[in-house]
Every structure is written in C-alpha cells, then in structure tokens.
Amino acid sequence: MNGIKRTDYCGTLTRENEGKTVTVCGWVQRRRDLGSLIFVDLRDRTGIVQLAFDDNTDKAVFEKAVTLRSEFVAMATGTVRIRSSINTEIPTGEIEIEVGDLKILGLSETPPFEILNNSNANEELRLRYRYLDLRRPDIQQNILMRHKIVKVTRDYFDENGFIEIETPTLIKSTPEGARDYLVPSRIHKGSFFALPQSPQLYKQLLMLSGFDRYMQIARCYRDEDLRADRQPEFTQIDLEMSFVEMEDVLKIGEGFVKRLFKEIMGVDISTPLPRLTYTQAMNDYGSDKPDTRFDMKIKDLSDIVENCGFGVFSDTVKNGGTVRAITAKNAAGVYTRKEIDKLTEEAKGIGAKGLAFIRWSEDTPTCSFAKFMTETEMAAIYERTGAEKGDVVLIVADRKNVALSVLGALRLTVAKRLDIIPDKYNFLWITEFPFFEYNEETGNWDAMHHPFTSPLDECIQYLDTAPEKVFAKAYDLVLNGVELSSGSIRITDPALQSKMFKALGLSDEEAEEKFGFLTGAFKYGAPPHGGMGIGLDRLVMLMCGCDSLRDVIAFPKISNSSELMSGAPAEVDTAQLTDLSIAVINTEEK
C-alpha cells in the first residue's frame, strides 16, 4: 500500500472535516458515471461516503475511477468538501471527498445479490455467501451491537465482583435435557467427550473452590431441532454466586438489564421487575414465558358451565377438565366466521379438540353454543370475560394443560393479527416452577430442571408422596414473550441430593457414575449457591429488533443444523475414522 494509511472511516466524516486531507478505504457500493463527472459511494462498517472525480482530477486517477465496479475494494485520498447537493438520507450527506489519489486494492466478480439493507434476496442464497451477507449495513450493525452488549456485560459483572473463568468445552456426557454433541477420543478408544450444554457442573465446582462470584461468556451446544430463537451452538452469559438466596441473584440480574438497556439503547428499565409464579403465568397467559405487553388474560369459565346444557363444556368439567376463554377486544370486524375457522384449525393443530366462540358484531352476539345455554349462563360468561359489542371470545374445553397452552398460543396469534402489541420492553420474572412434570407416555414424573435445582423448603416433605406439590427455587427472566434466562438455587446437602436422585429414578450407582465428581465435592464444605444463564443471542436479537437469531450471529446454522457456507457437517476420510476406531454404519432403509 506504499506506506499510505487509512486516516478516517467513511461514515465518520462531517462538515467539520471540510478542507481536511483524508484517506478512506472500503468497498464500492455504486458508481455513477456522468461523463466528465463520476461519483462513487464507498462503504465500510461505519457507513458510506461519496467520492468525487471531475475535470480537476488527475487523468490517470479519473481513468482508474471509470473501471470501478460494485464491491471492488478501493483506497482514496483527497480533500473533504461541502457537497453542492445535500443527501439527507446518510450521515455524511453534507460532504464528499475530492479525490486526488485512488488505489484499487481488490477486484470483485458481480456478487450473487446486491449488498443492501433489508435485502429481499433468498435467505439460503445469502447464507451460502455469508461473507457477502455480512457486508450488509444492517447485519453489520447487529454484530456491532452484539460487541457493545458483551463489553457492557463484562464491565458490569467485573464492577460487581465477578471473576471471569473459562470452563472446558470437552467434558463428560451428563443428562441435561437435550442430546449431547459427542466428540470421539483418539487416545481413549471407544470413549467420547461431550460438548457442554451449559457450564453447570463446572461453575458449581468453582463455588466449592472458593470463587464466590463467577461469570463467563460461555459457548454451549445442544443437539435439538432448531427454530427462529434456537441454534445448535449458542452463547450464554453464565453466572454463579455463593452465600446467596434467590433475591440476591435476581437483584444482580435486574441491575444488569437496567445498566445494559440504559447504556446501549438509552431506555430506562424500571426495577424491581414484576414477578409471576409459574402457576399464575399459566393461568393468566397460558405460557411460562408470557408476553405481557398486552392484556387478553385467560378466564376460567368452568364453574359457570359445569351444569350447563352444552355437553362439550359440562362433560369436560365433570371429567376433571376445564373450560377457559380469552376475549379479543374490538376484533369482530377482523375475525369473520371464516377467520375464526382458521383459528379453529390452528387450535386443533396444537392439541385442542375444537374451538367455541362468541362473535359480537351486531346488537345480538353470534355464538356457536348459545342454543344450549340459559340467558343467565350467557350473561355470566359475558361478565366473566368482559365481552361487549365489537369483541370476539374464544373458548377451549379440555384438560387444563391443553386448554391453557392452546389459548396461550391463540392469544399471541390474535394480538399479532390485530396489531395491538406495543413497541416496548416488558421484563418479567417467573418463579416457583414445578419441580416435576408428569410424563403421560411413561407414567413417570420427570425433572423439569437439572437435578441440582433445590426444591422450596416447604415442599421437601412431598418428594416421596406427592411430586405434583413440589415446586423449585427456580426462576426465569422473560422479555416480551421470550425466555432470556433460566436459573435456580442449587442443592448443596448431600442427603437431600441423594433423595432427589431417587425421586428422579436414579439408582445410587447411576448417580455416582454420572455425577460422582460433583456430589463427591459436596462432602468437602459446599457453600449455598445459585445462579443463572442469560441467552446472549436472544438478548441481542430482541435489542436489535430482529425476528431470527441468524440475524445476530456471524455464521449461523439453518434448520437442519448445517452451515451452508462451509458445508458443515461433512464426511471425513477413512484414515481419520480409523484413528478413532470408528466405523460409519448406514442405518437408512434400503
């Protein structure tokens, strides 16, 4: 580059730099050739600046400008001057660079798609050429936002006495709820490492080691089906604290989000954050990660309809089920009968047997079940649901968990259709999760959390006799209907831990084989401790206003867990497999 160095970034120049000689580097966004006048938009990660070539430009430099094409890499040196025609759409729109010297540093073929904000190019194509997609200003801003969030994170936890400690990424496989990614060992034939689903066991060991406040920007891996807010490899802000109770952990979490949103976005988050127990959240919103930016709470109609003439309702209640409803205010004009039929199909698709409704568009409501009801019963339903002219009431009769989850999903569908979700940030703690969940397929009670989560003190008495009455010292942080973090206070009493393993169906031998290195450590003085992991990818996604994690991760995977750009995963050669004593068996049906 002949000793010439970049002096400024493209997007940082303003009219205050008028008369300054600068050198900028970047990619050609576009070239406008007007004959004796050429304008080139040069782009780097800070923005775009206009380069100007005219009659005063050295002939050799002008001829070089004629050859510039989209995505060429160029270096330009010149003088900043005020533009004759102001462009108010870009921050540098008041100035341009009168170029005195131009160097073409790299040529480019015509890219497979144009490098633009909000590109409508096929996503699969963009991910195949991700290195080009990452040049798009909106994606670059997301990645830069992620960098800023991580910096504030490290600063905040450092200022609050946390020590950043790395934990291994090649660990022993232990059950944590999802499938492990396994890594075969070349030295220990037939044995495997696992990639960590979280640093859970190691961070608890760090508490036993005397590092009373730990944090890590931790890489985690889960072999599970993907969706918009899930990737097979993800990053979490992981933390653990000793000599604390739940309130101490929540206070640190609240301080973090308050600091982060104020410093990064200028948004004041009011603390303490609201709280709901798991039971309250499910009863009111049909979700353990409710979006509370709008109302539309679920109402229980069971006591009103348990003896009504509509068998679908009354029989459900008599058989131990429930009848629940949501009211969509001012929705009758949008939700015609045809639209309600679509909602019915959605409800059936997620487990409901059907969907009853009241549509109040005229003076008299249209109701799918009114002929079976008395006027008194209908009046009671209107009062309970708050229904009035203009509203639509949707009702599900089923087992409690089905009715709540279906209405929770419909609540979101309807709110999006009616466009009633305000643009704001509603944080919420969900506490007192059930310790066990009943598995209808196996007839067993399964743990809802990892086996080191502590039950509430008053619930320990029910471990052996009534698992449905056991609730955990567990808590989730929810933002706008997205689970951001999950955490708990841990078990440190070896006797209680042994009892918990038994309640989960683990024999002493199984518990020792899987977790012996941790439970053995508890015998040497374990401090009370607890913590949580905050999903960095999801946090960045929400703060950037994106709908998918792929927009905030540099090199994401697609729905089948593959990476289109590099072609991972890929087959390996026979020699590599031989080193590992592994043979590949084709299990597909012939």
Side-chain angles (χ1 to χ4, degrees):
M1 294 168 65
N2 296 330
I4 298 176
K5 296 182 179 180
R6 174 169 59 185
T7 62
D8 295 87
Y9 281 93
C10 296
T12 62
L13 297 171
T14 68
R15 67 181 306 128
E16 294 180 1
N17 301 116
E18 181 183 3
K20 179 182 177 182
T21 298
V22 298
T23 298
V24 292
C25 303
W27 286 262
V28 173
Q29 181 71 27
R30 63 172 180 161
R31 177 180 60 86
R32 299 183 301 284
D33 192 338
L34 306 179
S36 60
L37 184 61
I38 296 175
F39 293 114
V40 173
D41 289 342
L42 194 69
R43 182 194 72 243
D44 64 19
R45 65 178 171 88
T46 65
I48 287 175
V49 69
Q50 179 170 281
L51 309 180
F53 306 84
D54 53 29
D55 292 337
N56 297 320
T57 305
D58 179 84
K59 183 178 180 182
V61 172
F62 192 93
E63 290 177 351
K64 197 179 293 184
V66 172
T67 69
L68 291 174
R69 296 292 182 270
S70 175
E71 299 311 309
F72 276 31
V73 183
M75 171 186 283
T77 300
T79 305
V80 178
R81 69 186 185 191
I82 303 300
R83 288 173 60 160
S84 59
S85 178
I86 304 299
N87 181 355
T88 59
E89 295 183 2
I90 57 175
T92 61
E94 291 185 295
I95 58 94
E96 63 187 10
I97 299 174
E98 182 182 7
V99 178
D101 186 51
L102 176 68
K103 288 181 172 60
I104 298 177
L105 305 178
L107 306 180
S108 174
E109 297 180 1
T110 302
F113 53 86
E114 199 170 357
I115 310 301
L116 294 172
N117 277 335
N118 304 312
S119 173
N120 58 6
N122 177 271
E123 185 181 36
E124 185 172 314
L125 178 67
R126 290 191 289 107
L127 290 177
R128 196 173 299 279
Y129 294 91
R130 183 62 166 178
Y131 47 86
L132 295 179
D133 196 38
L134 285 170
R135 293 182 189 175
R136 294 195 297 117
D138 49 352
I139 295 291
Q140 288 196 343
Q141 289 307 306
N142 293 344
I143 301 299
L144 292 171
M145 171 79 87
R146 184 184 181 110
H147 163 75
K148 293 175 183 177
I149 290 170
V150 169
K151 182 182 183 304
V152 172
T153 298
R154 285 196 161 100
D155 289 345
Y156 172 80
F157 285 105
D158 175 66
E159 291 164 15
N160 281 276
F162 286 78
I163 304 164
E164 184 166 2
I165 306 175
E166 294 181 347
T167 54
T169 53
L170 293 174
I171 67 171
K172 181 180 180 179
S173 179
T174 56
E176 288 202 40
R179 288 183 295 272
D180 285 330
Y181 278 103
L182 300 177
V183 181
S185 171
R186 177 181 59 82
I187 298 172
H188 303 279
K189 306 295 186 183
S191 295
F192 295 80
F193 295 105
L195 299 180
Q197 295 185 33
S198 76
Q200 184 61 48
L201 304 186
Y202 286 96
K203 69 179 182 180
Q204 289 193 247
L205 287 169
L206 287 171
M207 297 300 101
L208 275 71
S209 302
F211 297 98
D212 62 308
R213 289 196 169 195
Y214 140 93
M215 72 81 59
Q216 181 183 187
I217 308 296
R219 296 291 285 166
C220 307
Y221 308 84
R222 293 185 180 181
D223 186 5
E224 57 188 353
D225 296 333
L226 305 194
R227 58 189 185 210
D229 64 349
R230 179 184 288 168
Q231 284 273 305
E233 52 182 326
F234 57 96
T235 306
Q236 70 182 35
I237 302 164
D238 201 48
L239 60 122
E240 196 79 8
M241 305 166 63
S242 291
F243 309 109
V244 294
E245 296 179 340
M246 185 180 79
E247 293 298 327
D248 301 296
V249 182
L250 300 194
K251 185 177 180 181
I252 282 291
E254 290 182 353
F256 169 61
V257 297
K258 186 176 183 69
R259 165 82 170 270
L260 186 67
F261 274 71
K262 180 64 175 179
E263 192 161 328
I264 297 293
M265 306 185 72
V267 174
D268 286 308
I269 301 297
S270 178
T271 56
L273 301 178
R275 299 185 191 183
L276 286 176
T277 66
Y278 172 90
T279 301
Q280 290 171 325
M282 292 302 298
N283 284 336
D284 286 349
Y285 300 101
S287 172
D288 61 0
K289 47 180 182 295
D291 190 336
T292 57
R293 289 176 294 173
F294 61 101
D295 191 16
M296 210 186 300
K297 291 182 180 179
I298 298 172
K299 304 297 182 181
D300 190 350
L301 308 181
S302 302
D303 60 314
I304 298 174
V305 301
E306 61 181 335
N307 296 311
C308 74
F310 187 41
V312 173
F313 289 171
S314 57
D315 290 347
T316 296
V317 177
K318 289 173 184 176
N319 291 324
T322 187
V323 180
R324 307 280 174 132
I326 56 173
T327 301
K329 304 300 291 183
N330 303 309
V334 174
Y335 278 100
T336 62
R337 178 58 190 270
K338 185 177 180 180
E339 292 288 323
I340 293 175
D341 288 342
K342 292 180 182 178
L343 287 179
T344 301
E345 291 306 309
E346 179 178 341
K348 290 180 178 178
I350 50 180
K353 298 181 182 71
L355 185 68
F357 69 89
I358 301 168
R359 179 172 178 266
W360 201 333
S361 61
E362 306 293 340
D363 290 337
T364 302
T366 300
C367 178
S368 62
F369 55 89
K371 63 182 179 180
F372 302 104
M373 311 290 288
T374 66
E375 290 185 7
T376 301
E377 290 167 340
M378 290 304 298
I381 290 175
Y382 297 149
E383 181 178 0
R384 179 74 55 84
T385 60
E388 54 192 2
K389 187 175 180 179
D391 298 343
V392 172
V393 181
L394 304 173
I395 305 172
V396 175
D398 215 309
R399 299 191 310 276
K400 182 178 179 180
N401 63 326
V402 173
L404 292 177
S405 62
V406 169
L407 287 173
L410 293 182
R411 176 179 175 270
L412 292 175
T413 297
V414 171
K416 291 174 183 176
R417 178 77 170 82
L418 298 177
D419 195 22
I420 60 170
I421 304 177
D423 184 16
K424 62 179 182 177
Y425 297 100
N426 271 27
F427 283 94
L428 175 72
W429 289 112
I430 305 296
T431 63
E432 296 184 24
F433 281 80
F435 202 94
F436 301 98
E437 58 182 345
Y438 185 69
N439 188 323
E440 295 183 0
E441 293 183 3
T442 64
N444 297 324
W445 288 91
D446 298 333
M448 282 190 71
H449 318 274
H450 61 70
F452 305 103
T453 297
S454 179
L456 293 174
D457 296 342
E458 62 269 26
C459 296
I460 295 175
Q461 60 183 312
Y462 301 118
L463 276 174
D464 298 325
T465 58
E468 72 278 3
K469 294 183 179 180
V470 182
F471 291 86
K473 293 180 181 178
Y475 36 84
D476 281 3
L477 180 61
V478 175
L479 172 58
N480 294 355
V482 175
E483 178 194 320
L484 275 189
S485 80
S486 184
S488 68
I489 300 300
R490 323 303 187 187
I491 297 173
T492 54
D493 177 9
L496 177 59
Q497 186 64 71
S498 178
K499 191 172 185 178
M500 189 59 62
F501 285 145
K502 285 183 171 62
L504 295 172
L506 288 175
S507 66
D508 291 340
E509 293 75 16
E510 289 174 317
E512 177 63 26
E513 179 184 352
K514 293 175 179 177
F515 304 111
F517 66 96
L518 177 63
T519 55
F522 286 167
K523 299 174 184 178
Y524 296 95
H529 59 275
M532 61 181 173
I534 303 169
L536 176 63
D537 308 303
R538 292 182 182 180
L539 181 62
V540 177
M541 179 183 74
L542 292 171
M543 293 181 75
C544 289
C546 299
D547 297 321
S548 171
L549 293 179
R550 291 192 288 268
D551 291 333
V552 298
I553 296 173
F555 300 103
K557 305 292 190 294
I558 61 171
S559 59
N560 65 2
S561 296
S562 67
E563 190 216 300
L564 293 176
M565 185 190 69
S566 70
E571 296 180 358
V572 297
D573 61 42
T574 304
Q576 290 175 285
L577 294 175
T578 301
D579 275 348
L580 297 168
S581 298
I582 288 178
V584 176
I585 300 174
N586 187 356
T587 59
E588 295 182 0
E589 294 182 3
K590 296 182 179 179

